[in-house]
Amino acid sequence: MSEDLRRALEARPKVGLADLRSFQGAGLYALYYRGAFPIYAPLRGTNVPLYVGKAEAGNSSYGDPPNERLPKLYKRIDKHRASIKEADNLSVADFDVRYLLLDDVWIVLGERALLRAYSPVLWNTLLTGFGSNPAGRARTNPRSYWDTMHPGRPRAANYLCNRTLTRHEVNVRVEEGIDVSLMAPGADRDGALAALRKRKYRPIWSLPGKRDEGKRLVVYRPDAFAEENAAFGVSADSEEWREADTSISVAAEPDTNELEEGDGDQDDG
């Protein structure tokens, strides 16, 4: 059944994201890139999406049927269209979207099928932060992987650099992820993805530990910390951080504020 849902989505026509008009219903969608951003060049002309997502109609706790006349799926896609418009190095005109209207009972299953079929879906797994809700304006919020590669969203303007990877390291990770996504499904692809996700890096910075006096940020790579923040026009006074006295390595996992938004975050109007 999950494979049937993937084929059903692929049978739908691609629509230019810039031209998408409002429609009713809930379901699945996938975003495709056909522009000139160099790193994404291998994906042009393929059926491999940059991002897949869902929007559910919403189930009543009383068992009442959901209101399928609301534009839930459209509003989710339109929200992502706004994020792409805000990025300095992306254009909405370079994206296509496919969408498939479904009953809620099939939507979660279908999203999982798409994520498995096109693994790793870059903006869902390796370049996280695109589909997350704003994390607030706290000074210690890190820039997401997505906002590191695609700066410009006002919500991230004052965020410090990514905690783990530099811009160059993000680019290399994405390039390797694209290579994996273009491999044939099977053990080799699964193994390559597992190795990529398990790779360890020396972090750039972290929040202070419970025992840290003064509650200053802990910086493991001072040169990278200064260079990355300067590139984004963000300054960090020397009084705000201290150089780490130990060396650690971590996987490039999403920060908690990069988790995907839930369907409960959507408006019903």
PDB file of all heavy atoms in Angstrom, residues 138-165:
ATOM      1  N   ALA A 138      15.478  34.068  21.264  1.00  0.00           N
ATOM      2  CA  ALA A 138      16.536  33.914  22.260  1.00  0.00           C
ATOM      3  C   ALA A 138      17.902  34.069  21.615  1.00  0.00           C
ATOM      4  O   ALA A 138      18.149  33.570  20.515  1.00  0.00           O
ATOM      5  CB  ALA A 138      16.434  32.551  22.941  1.00  0.00           C
ATOM      6  N   ARG A 139      18.798  34.757  22.310  1.00  0.00           N
ATOM      7  CA  ARG A 139      20.125  35.027  21.790  1.00  0.00           C
ATOM      8  C   ARG A 139      20.905  33.738  21.524  1.00  0.00           C
ATOM      9  O   ARG A 139      21.765  33.686  20.634  1.00  0.00           O
ATOM     10  CB  ARG A 139      20.877  35.893  22.812  1.00  0.00           C
ATOM     11  CG  ARG A 139      22.348  36.113  22.535  1.00  0.00           C
ATOM     12  CD  ARG A 139      22.561  36.942  21.298  1.00  0.00           C
ATOM     13  NE  ARG A 139      23.980  37.277  21.125  1.00  0.00           N
ATOM     14  CZ  ARG A 139      24.509  37.739  20.019  1.00  0.00           C
ATOM     15  NH1 ARG A 139      23.751  37.916  18.952  1.00  0.00           N
ATOM     16  NH2 ARG A 139      25.786  38.039  19.949  1.00  0.00           N
ATOM     17  N   THR A 140      20.599  32.679  22.277  1.00  0.00           N
ATOM     18  CA  THR A 140      21.369  31.436  22.173  1.00  0.00           C
ATOM     19  C   THR A 140      20.772  30.445  21.183  1.00  0.00           C
ATOM     20  O   THR A 140      21.233  29.311  21.109  1.00  0.00           O
ATOM     21  CB  THR A 140      21.474  30.771  23.557  1.00  0.00           C
ATOM     22  OG1 THR A 140      20.160  30.592  24.109  1.00  0.00           O
ATOM     23  CG2 THR A 140      22.304  31.618  24.499  1.00  0.00           C
ATOM     24  N   ASN A 141      19.774  30.845  20.406  1.00  0.00           N
ATOM     25  CA  ASN A 141      19.243  29.944  19.390  1.00  0.00           C
ATOM     26  C   ASN A 141      20.276  29.766  18.274  1.00  0.00           C
ATOM     27  O   ASN A 141      20.820  30.750  17.768  1.00  0.00           O
ATOM     28  CB  ASN A 141      17.946  30.487  18.792  1.00  0.00           C
ATOM     29  CG  ASN A 141      16.757  30.236  19.689  1.00  0.00           C
ATOM     30  OD1 ASN A 141      16.721  29.253  20.404  1.00  0.00           O
ATOM     31  ND2 ASN A 141      15.786  31.137  19.663  1.00  0.00           N
ATOM     32  N   PRO A 142      20.550  28.540  17.854  1.00  0.00           N
ATOM     33  CA  PRO A 142      21.491  28.336  16.758  1.00  0.00           C
ATOM     34  C   PRO A 142      20.789  28.417  15.410  1.00  0.00           C
ATOM     35  O   PRO A 142      19.600  28.141  15.283  1.00  0.00           O
ATOM     36  CB  PRO A 142      22.002  26.915  17.011  1.00  0.00           C
ATOM     37  CG  PRO A 142      20.813  26.219  17.617  1.00  0.00           C
ATOM     38  CD  PRO A 142      20.099  27.264  18.446  1.00  0.00           C
ATOM     39  N   ARG A 143      21.537  28.783  14.408  1.00  0.00           N
ATOM     40  CA  ARG A 143      21.036  28.778  13.037  1.00  0.00           C
ATOM     41  C   ARG A 143      20.886  27.328  12.579  1.00  0.00           C
ATOM     42  O   ARG A 143      21.773  26.507  12.786  1.00  0.00           O
ATOM     43  CB  ARG A 143      22.026  29.528  12.146  1.00  0.00           C
ATOM     44  CG  ARG A 143      21.574  29.797  10.736  1.00  0.00           C
ATOM     45  CD  ARG A 143      22.585  30.687  10.049  1.00  0.00           C
ATOM     46  NE  ARG A 143      22.542  32.026  10.615  1.00  0.00           N
ATOM     47  CZ  ARG A 143      21.848  33.042  10.118  1.00  0.00           C
ATOM     48  NH1 ARG A 143      21.147  32.865   9.002  1.00  0.00           N
ATOM     49  NH2 ARG A 143      21.852  34.221  10.691  1.00  0.00           N
ATOM     50  N   SER A 144      19.767  26.999  11.970  1.00  0.00           N
ATOM     51  CA  SER A 144      19.534  25.633  11.509  1.00  0.00           C
ATOM     52  C   SER A 144      20.455  25.312  10.341  1.00  0.00           C
ATOM     53  O   SER A 144      21.072  26.195   9.726  1.00  0.00           O
ATOM     54  CB  SER A 144      18.082  25.448  11.084  1.00  0.00           C
ATOM     55  OG  SER A 144      17.840  26.107   9.836  1.00  0.00           O
ATOM     56  N   TYR A 145      20.532  24.039   9.993  1.00  0.00           N
ATOM     57  CA  TYR A 145      21.313  23.647   8.815  1.00  0.00           C
ATOM     58  C   TYR A 145      20.740  24.298   7.556  1.00  0.00           C
ATOM     59  O   TYR A 145      21.486  24.757   6.687  1.00  0.00           O
ATOM     60  CB  TYR A 145      21.326  22.115   8.669  1.00  0.00           C
ATOM     61  CG  TYR A 145      22.021  21.417   9.819  1.00  0.00           C
ATOM     62  CD1 TYR A 145      21.303  20.712  10.771  1.00  0.00           C
ATOM     63  CD2 TYR A 145      23.395  21.480   9.950  1.00  0.00           C
ATOM     64  CE1 TYR A 145      21.932  20.086  11.826  1.00  0.00           C
ATOM     65  CE2 TYR A 145      24.042  20.850  11.006  1.00  0.00           C
ATOM     66  CZ  TYR A 145      23.306  20.151  11.949  1.00  0.00           C
ATOM     67  OH  TYR A 145      23.937  19.544  12.999  1.00  0.00           O
ATOM     68  N   TRP A 146      19.404  24.339   7.463  1.00  0.00           N
ATOM     69  CA  TRP A 146      18.779  24.947   6.282  1.00  0.00           C
ATOM     70  C   TRP A 146      19.090  26.435   6.207  1.00  0.00           C
ATOM     71  O   TRP A 146      19.446  26.948   5.131  1.00  0.00           O
ATOM     72  CB  TRP A 146      17.266  24.730   6.307  1.00  0.00           C
ATOM     73  CG  TRP A 146      16.606  25.024   4.995  1.00  0.00           C
ATOM     74  CD1 TRP A 146      16.425  24.158   3.953  1.00  0.00           C
ATOM     75  CD2 TRP A 146      16.048  26.282   4.567  1.00  0.00           C
ATOM     76  NE1 TRP A 146      15.792  24.805   2.906  1.00  0.00           N
ATOM     77  CE2 TRP A 146      15.553  26.095   3.247  1.00  0.00           C
ATOM     78  CE3 TRP A 146      15.932  27.537   5.161  1.00  0.00           C
ATOM     79  CZ2 TRP A 146      14.936  27.117   2.532  1.00  0.00           C
ATOM     80  CZ3 TRP A 146      15.325  28.566   4.440  1.00  0.00           C
ATOM     81  CH2 TRP A 146      14.831  28.348   3.139  1.00  0.00           C
ATOM     82  N   ASP A 147      18.998  27.143   7.317  1.00  0.00           N
ATOM     83  CA  ASP A 147      19.274  28.578   7.318  1.00  0.00           C
ATOM     84  C   ASP A 147      20.759  28.873   7.171  1.00  0.00           C
ATOM     85  O   ASP A 147      21.134  30.001   6.822  1.00  0.00           O
ATOM     86  CB  ASP A 147      18.725  29.218   8.597  1.00  0.00           C
ATOM     87  CG  ASP A 147      17.215  29.286   8.618  1.00  0.00           C
ATOM     88  OD1 ASP A 147      16.648  30.036   7.813  1.00  0.00           O
ATOM     89  OD2 ASP A 147      16.591  28.559   9.417  1.00  0.00           O
ATOM     90  N   THR A 148      21.609  27.889   7.416  1.00  0.00           N
ATOM     91  CA  THR A 148      23.038  28.055   7.172  1.00  0.00           C
ATOM     92  C   THR A 148      23.332  28.037   5.675  1.00  0.00           C
ATOM     93  O   THR A 148      24.093  28.870   5.172  1.00  0.00           O
ATOM     94  CB  THR A 148      23.833  26.935   7.882  1.00  0.00           C
ATOM     95  OG1 THR A 148      23.635  27.040   9.296  1.00  0.00           O
ATOM     96  CG2 THR A 148      25.323  27.029   7.575  1.00  0.00           C
ATOM     97  N   MET A 149      22.703  27.125   4.950  1.00  0.00           N
ATOM     98  CA  MET A 149      22.909  27.059   3.496  1.00  0.00           C
ATOM     99  C   MET A 149      22.077  28.095   2.759  1.00  0.00           C
ATOM    100  O   MET A 149      22.501  28.618   1.713  1.00  0.00           O
ATOM    101  CB  MET A 149      22.578  25.667   2.974  1.00  0.00           C
ATOM    102  CG  MET A 149      22.724  25.542   1.462  1.00  0.00           C
ATOM    103  SD  MET A 149      22.499  23.870   0.826  1.00  0.00           S
ATOM    104  CE  MET A 149      24.139  23.204   1.146  1.00  0.00           C
ATOM    105  N   HIS A 150      20.892  28.419   3.294  1.00  0.00           N
ATOM    106  CA  HIS A 150      19.968  29.330   2.614  1.00  0.00           C
ATOM    107  C   HIS A 150      19.576  30.476   3.550  1.00  0.00           C
ATOM    108  O   HIS A 150      18.440  30.539   4.035  1.00  0.00           O
ATOM    109  CB  HIS A 150      18.730  28.568   2.151  1.00  0.00           C
ATOM    110  CG  HIS A 150      19.020  27.452   1.202  1.00  0.00           C
ATOM    111  ND1 HIS A 150      19.640  27.654  -0.021  1.00  0.00           N
ATOM    112  CD2 HIS A 150      18.802  26.114   1.292  1.00  0.00           C
ATOM    113  CE1 HIS A 150      19.782  26.498  -0.643  1.00  0.00           C
ATOM    114  NE2 HIS A 150      19.290  25.553   0.126  1.00  0.00           N
ATOM    115  N   PRO A 151      20.521  31.395   3.819  1.00  0.00           N
ATOM    116  CA  PRO A 151      20.211  32.499   4.729  1.00  0.00           C
ATOM    117  C   PRO A 151      19.213  33.468   4.117  1.00  0.00           C
ATOM    118  O   PRO A 151      19.026  33.503   2.900  1.00  0.00           O
ATOM    119  CB  PRO A 151      21.579  33.166   4.922  1.00  0.00           C
ATOM    120  CG  PRO A 151      22.330  32.854   3.667  1.00  0.00           C
ATOM    121  CD  PRO A 151      21.887  31.475   3.270  1.00  0.00           C
ATOM    122  N   GLY A 152      18.580  34.245   4.984  1.00  0.00           N
ATOM    123  CA  GLY A 152      17.665  35.273   4.501  1.00  0.00           C
ATOM    124  C   GLY A 152      16.363  35.346   5.267  1.00  0.00           C
ATOM    125  O   GLY A 152      15.719  36.405   5.283  1.00  0.00           O
ATOM    126  N   ARG A 153      15.943  34.239   5.892  1.00  0.00           N
ATOM    127  CA  ARG A 153      14.683  34.303   6.627  1.00  0.00           C
ATOM    128  C   ARG A 153      14.833  35.256   7.814  1.00  0.00           C
ATOM    129  O   ARG A 153      15.747  35.082   8.638  1.00  0.00           O
ATOM    130  CB  ARG A 153      14.257  32.915   7.111  1.00  0.00           C
ATOM    131  CG  ARG A 153      13.799  32.004   6.001  1.00  0.00           C
ATOM    132  CD  ARG A 153      13.002  30.808   6.502  1.00  0.00           C
ATOM    133  NE  ARG A 153      13.807  29.842   7.224  1.00  0.00           N
ATOM    134  CZ  ARG A 153      13.354  28.627   7.592  1.00  0.00           C
ATOM    135  NH1 ARG A 153      12.105  28.269   7.295  1.00  0.00           N
ATOM    136  NH2 ARG A 153      14.138  27.798   8.240  1.00  0.00           N
ATOM    137  N   PRO A 154      13.960  36.245   7.940  1.00  0.00           N
ATOM    138  CA  PRO A 154      14.076  37.197   9.049  1.00  0.00           C
ATOM    139  C   PRO A 154      14.074  36.520  10.415  1.00  0.00           C
ATOM    140  O   PRO A 154      14.731  36.998  11.349  1.00  0.00           O
ATOM    141  CB  PRO A 154      12.837  38.089   8.875  1.00  0.00           C
ATOM    142  CG  PRO A 154      12.550  38.033   7.413  1.00  0.00           C
ATOM    143  CD  PRO A 154      12.877  36.613   7.006  1.00  0.00           C
ATOM    144  N   ARG A 155      13.386  35.414  10.541  1.00  0.00           N
ATOM    145  CA  ARG A 155      13.295  34.751  11.839  1.00  0.00           C
ATOM    146  C   ARG A 155      14.648  34.265  12.345  1.00  0.00           C
ATOM    147  O   ARG A 155      14.834  34.074  13.538  1.00  0.00           O
ATOM    148  CB  ARG A 155      12.312  33.584  11.769  1.00  0.00           C
ATOM    149  CG  ARG A 155      12.823  32.373  11.034  1.00  0.00           C
ATOM    150  CD  ARG A 155      11.728  31.361  10.825  1.00  0.00           C
ATOM    151  NE  ARG A 155      12.204  29.997  10.948  1.00  0.00           N
ATOM    152  CZ  ARG A 155      11.461  28.932  10.727  1.00  0.00           C
ATOM    153  NH1 ARG A 155      10.206  29.072  10.359  1.00  0.00           N
ATOM    154  NH2 ARG A 155      11.946  27.721  10.882  1.00  0.00           N
ATOM    155  N   ALA A 156      15.604  34.028  11.420  1.00  0.00           N
ATOM    156  CA  ALA A 156      16.918  33.529  11.810  1.00  0.00           C
ATOM    157  C   ALA A 156      17.993  34.608  11.770  1.00  0.00           C
ATOM    158  O   ALA A 156      19.167  34.313  12.000  1.00  0.00           O
ATOM    159  CB  ALA A 156      17.321  32.372  10.904  1.00  0.00           C
ATOM    160  N   ALA A 157      17.609  35.851  11.503  1.00  0.00           N
ATOM    161  CA  ALA A 157      18.589  36.909  11.255  1.00  0.00           C
ATOM    162  C   ALA A 157      19.557  37.113  12.406  1.00  0.00           C
ATOM    163  O   ALA A 157      20.739  37.400  12.194  1.00  0.00           O
ATOM    164  CB  ALA A 157      17.872  38.217  10.935  1.00  0.00           C
ATOM    165  N   ASN A 158      19.090  36.973  13.629  1.00  0.00           N
ATOM    166  CA  ASN A 158      19.942  37.241  14.791  1.00  0.00           C
ATOM    167  C   ASN A 158      20.465  35.985  15.464  1.00  0.00           C
ATOM    168  O   ASN A 158      21.082  36.055  16.528  1.00  0.00           O
ATOM    169  CB  ASN A 158      19.170  38.086  15.813  1.00  0.00           C
ATOM    170  CG  ASN A 158      18.817  39.460  15.268  1.00  0.00           C
ATOM    171  OD1 ASN A 158      19.636  40.104  14.612  1.00  0.00           O
ATOM    172  ND2 ASN A 158      17.597  39.907  15.521  1.00  0.00           N
ATOM    173  N   TYR A 159      20.214  34.836  14.867  1.00  0.00           N
ATOM    174  CA  TYR A 159      20.680  33.587  15.460  1.00  0.00           C
ATOM    175  C   TYR A 159      22.190  33.451  15.293  1.00  0.00           C
ATOM    176  O   TYR A 159      22.767  33.849  14.285  1.00  0.00           O
ATOM    177  CB  TYR A 159      20.018  32.377  14.788  1.00  0.00           C
ATOM    178  CG  TYR A 159      18.554  32.197  15.095  1.00  0.00           C
ATOM    179  CD1 TYR A 159      17.830  31.180  14.479  1.00  0.00           C
ATOM    180  CD2 TYR A 159      17.876  33.027  15.980  1.00  0.00           C
ATOM    181  CE1 TYR A 159      16.481  30.985  14.740  1.00  0.00           C
ATOM    182  CE2 TYR A 159      16.533  32.842  16.242  1.00  0.00           C
ATOM    183  CZ  TYR A 159      15.837  31.825  15.618  1.00  0.00           C
ATOM    184  OH  TYR A 159      14.505  31.636  15.868  1.00  0.00           O
ATOM    185  N   LEU A 160      22.813  32.842  16.288  1.00  0.00           N
ATOM    186  CA  LEU A 160      24.215  32.484  16.163  1.00  0.00           C
ATOM    187  C   LEU A 160      24.374  31.394  15.106  1.00  0.00           C
ATOM    188  O   LEU A 160      23.399  30.770  14.684  1.00  0.00           O
ATOM    189  CB  LEU A 160      24.750  31.996  17.508  1.00  0.00           C
ATOM    190  CG  LEU A 160      24.860  33.055  18.620  1.00  0.00           C
ATOM    191  CD1 LEU A 160      25.231  32.397  19.937  1.00  0.00           C
ATOM    192  CD2 LEU A 160      25.881  34.120  18.255  1.00  0.00           C
ATOM    193  N   CYS A 161      25.603  31.159  14.697  1.00  0.00           N
ATOM    194  CA  CYS A 161      25.856  30.142  13.678  1.00  0.00           C
ATOM    195  C   CYS A 161      25.427  28.763  14.164  1.00  0.00           C
ATOM    196  O   CYS A 161      25.173  28.552  15.358  1.00  0.00           O
ATOM    197  CB  CYS A 161      27.338  30.131  13.301  1.00  0.00           C
ATOM    198  SG  CYS A 161      28.454  29.622  14.625  1.00  0.00           S
ATOM    199  N   ASN A 162      25.367  27.840  13.250  1.00  0.00           N
ATOM    200  CA  ASN A 162      25.032  26.460  13.590  1.00  0.00           C
ATOM    201  C   ASN A 162      25.992  25.934  14.658  1.00  0.00           C
ATOM    202  O   ASN A 162      27.184  26.256  14.643  1.00  0.00           O
ATOM    203  CB  ASN A 162      25.107  25.595  12.339  1.00  0.00           C
ATOM    204  CG  ASN A 162      24.566  24.197  12.577  1.00  0.00           C
ATOM    205  OD1 ASN A 162      25.308  23.288  12.919  1.00  0.00           O
ATOM    206  ND2 ASN A 162      23.267  24.025  12.406  1.00  0.00           N
ATOM    207  N   ARG A 163      25.495  25.122  15.553  1.00  0.00           N
ATOM    208  CA  ARG A 163      26.337  24.644  16.653  1.00  0.00           C
ATOM    209  C   ARG A 163      27.386  23.634  16.218  1.00  0.00           C
ATOM    210  O   ARG A 163      28.429  23.502  16.860  1.00  0.00           O
ATOM    211  CB  ARG A 163      25.457  24.004  17.738  1.00  0.00           C
ATOM    212  CG  ARG A 163      24.646  24.989  18.540  1.00  0.00           C
ATOM    213  CD  ARG A 163      23.804  24.274  19.575  1.00  0.00           C
ATOM    214  NE  ARG A 163      22.980  25.222  20.299  1.00  0.00           N
ATOM    215  CZ  ARG A 163      21.974  24.875  21.082  1.00  0.00           C
ATOM    216  NH1 ARG A 163      21.670  23.597  21.228  1.00  0.00           N
ATOM    217  NH2 ARG A 163      21.268  25.792  21.709  1.00  0.00           N
ATOM    218  N   THR A 164      27.124  22.929  15.119  1.00  0.00           N
ATOM    219  CA  THR A 164      27.981  21.797  14.780  1.00  0.00           C
ATOM    220  C   THR A 164      28.815  22.013  13.523  1.00  0.00           C
ATOM    221  O   THR A 164      30.013  21.719  13.509  1.00  0.00           O
ATOM    222  CB  THR A 164      27.131  20.524  14.606  1.00  0.00           C
ATOM    223  OG1 THR A 164      26.335  20.333  15.773  1.00  0.00           O
ATOM    224  CG2 THR A 164      28.020  19.305  14.407  1.00  0.00           C
ATOM    225  N   LEU A 165      28.189  22.514  12.443  1.00  0.00           N
ATOM    226  CA  LEU A 165      28.846  22.543  11.144  1.00  0.00           C
ATOM    227  C   LEU A 165      29.025  23.962  10.607  1.00  0.00           C
ATOM    228  O   LEU A 165      28.151  24.817  10.777  1.00  0.00           O
ATOM    229  CB  LEU A 165      28.035  21.736  10.119  1.00  0.00           C
ATOM    230  CG  LEU A 165      27.781  20.258  10.433  1.00  0.00           C
ATOM    231  CD1 LEU A 165      27.004  19.617   9.290  1.00  0.00           C
ATOM    232  CD2 LEU A 165      29.080  19.523  10.688  1.00  0.00           C
TER     233      LEU A 165
END
